[in-house]
Amino acid sequence: MSIVTPGAKQHGAPSVRRSSTSPIYTLVGALVLVILLTMAPWIVPAQASSTLMNFFILVIMATMWNLLAGYAGMVSIGQQAFIGLGAYATLYFALKGVNPFVTIPLSTLTCAVIAVPVTFLLFRLRGGYFAIATWVVSDTALLIIGAIPFLGGGTGKLMPGLQSLSPAQTAHYSYLATWIVALVVVTGTYLLLRSRLGLVLASIRDNEVAARSAGVNVQSARRLIFVIAAAGCGAAGAVLAISQPFIQPLSVFNIQWAAEMLFVSMIGGLGTIEGPIIGSILYFVLQQTLQQYGAWYLIIFGSLAVVVALWQPRGLWGAFRERFHGELLPVGYWLREPK
Amino acid sequence: MIWLNVVIQGVLIGGFYALFACGLSLMFGVLKVINLAHGDIAVVAGYVAVFLTPHLHIPEVWSFLVVVPIFGLVGYVVQRTLIQKSIDRDPFTTLLVTFGLSVVIENLLLEIYSANGQSVNIGDLIAKSWHPASIIYVSYVSLGVLAVAVAVLGLLQLFLSRTGTGRLIRAVADDREAAQLSGANYRHIFGIAAAIAFATVALAGIAYGMMTQFAPTSGGVNLLFAFEAVVIGGIGSLWGTLIGGIALGVAQQFGAHFNPEYQILAGNVLFLVVLAIRPQGLFGRRTALA
């Protein structure tokens, strides 16, 4: 997995590898972590597993935002559109009698389908105008959903289909659903970035004109990433709807989601897989510690994000990587000069 | 007559949107930067007018005389420090930084002044209106704001086309490197553009406080409207922004006429339709786009 050029062992030739450390450690560590987190609802108290669930939702959102901004260069402040639509798609299918847990893939797909025509409008604008236009889209989605009486209008509606389960069962199942979605999203993003598309994205990020002239279809690569990010945020919205069963338009379409995913990815490190996860951990630690002081955790976190953007644009993980050349989930390549 | 009233109310609010948007448009034209905290600056100006200028024994109606120049100065300083620093990195960073600032400002206001609505006290002027026909009421405040908007846009246009500094601003906006080669200090010019943007949006913020109530979260909503006005009118055209603002205002009033819930939705729909069929806007040039 690590050594790409077969002749790399030859004396005097530079070698190209995925990572400077052995992937075995990462693999073993990841396996242990996966087993522990799968068992979590049976090990830790209910309060902790509900916190973990919110943490996973943030990791999903931040990973998707990082894919958009960190890898495809699109700053969106309207991803809450797809969180809200994912939540409401879940509600819609559940009202139609589908088991809420079965609706998660359906809602994810729904968001992906909605995202396709949206890109044709949004991609007419670039940079800052693109960013605000994504917000207009989410505002429009909020207003349309809020005007549909079947979905509870502006006041919201209780998620049906969960009442037949006991509270403990609901908690366990929704924990597992959230955890599995987070695992799929992070692993999927990792594999995606190691694929051909990942290479295309890296070429666009490094030099868009050069990528174009080398035959890269920049627009369709961006479109695909936008649709994937919409689907991921839709999945986050779906598990959000299951974990907090009363769904209100103003809370699922809240721009605070966009703020959280942006801050978390920036502080953790844009353009790395590990960054959003580390940022999310930091965010939760800060939020839990400063819980009783209102919105101060958001103020501190936002200021920190501004400072990081100006002075350490690769974020915490980027700074760590520069110093120690260590990587847990490598997606790029290192060139090692012969000694 | 009902429809005439809808159009009149739309035009009145459209003037406010244009006043709010002209700084956004100018900063994008010159600095190529979208300030995502643009709306929040207006709200801060509103809070300064309501809570801080009374300490100077200035009536709230006249607070803009103090607040607007201060915000111009603040704009220059913020540009030369924070925004310039992020421009030096890349345009991408300016979005992250200004969005971060927007969230921080909004939550700070929420912590300090709570979520309660505030308004700029203008005495009994608020209730007075001109009543030319049976159901048409033209509020003096809205009419005043429209007049101020037209005046500000006119002055800005004159400033850009007739003065030396205005010429420099246009030169930097057209081609920064060429202007720099000819001896223009582009950072100073950026600062002046930001000063104008901050001053005009501070004026808009106080005007908003006179027309209605504002809260810490009002900035975002108004940024959306300002942005829609800019895109509908055409990116890079000041008078286009006024027409765009009026078109947006009229669309919103039409929506509200059918159902108050549709007011903002109708504006968004107009914006999306313009984006779909005429992405350069009503008066814009295609070059402003991607």
Side-chain angles (χ1 to χ4, degrees), chain A residues 302-318:
Chain A
S303 317
L304 196 62
V306 170
V307 170
V308 166
L310 288 174
W311 283 282
Q312 186 51 257
R314 293 267 139 242
L316 291 180
W317 185 253

Side-chain angles (χ1 to χ4, degrees), chain A residues 124 126 129 139-140 295 310-311, chain B residues 85 89 111 227 275 279 290:
Chain A
R124 287 169 180 263
R126 307 205 73 175
Y129 280 99
D139 192 42
T140 310
L310 288 174
W311 283 282
Chain B
K85 180 130 182 74
R89 281 232 182 270
E111 285 296 318
F227 161 73
L275 199 56

Side-chain angles (χ1 to χ4, degrees), chain A residues 105-151:
Chain A
L106 289 177
S107 309
T108 308
L109 195 68
T110 309
C111 285
V113 170
I114 294 174
V116 176
V118 168
T119 60
F120 282 92
L121 279 178
L122 287 179
F123 283 13
R124 287 169 180 263
L125 300 167
R126 307 205 73 175
Y129 280 99
F130 171 85
I132 310 185
T134 59
W135 192 2
V136 175
V137 167
S138 98
D139 192 42
T140 310
L142 160 72
L143 291 167
I144 292 174
I145 294 287
I148 302 175
F150 178 67
L151 295 174

Side-chain angles (χ1 to χ4, degrees), chain B residues 18 153 229-230 232-234 236-246 282-284:
Chain B
L153 289 174
V230 169
I232 292 170
S237 159
L238 273 182
W239 293 114
T241 302
L242 181 62
I243 303 297
I246 288 173
L282 300 174
F283 296 93

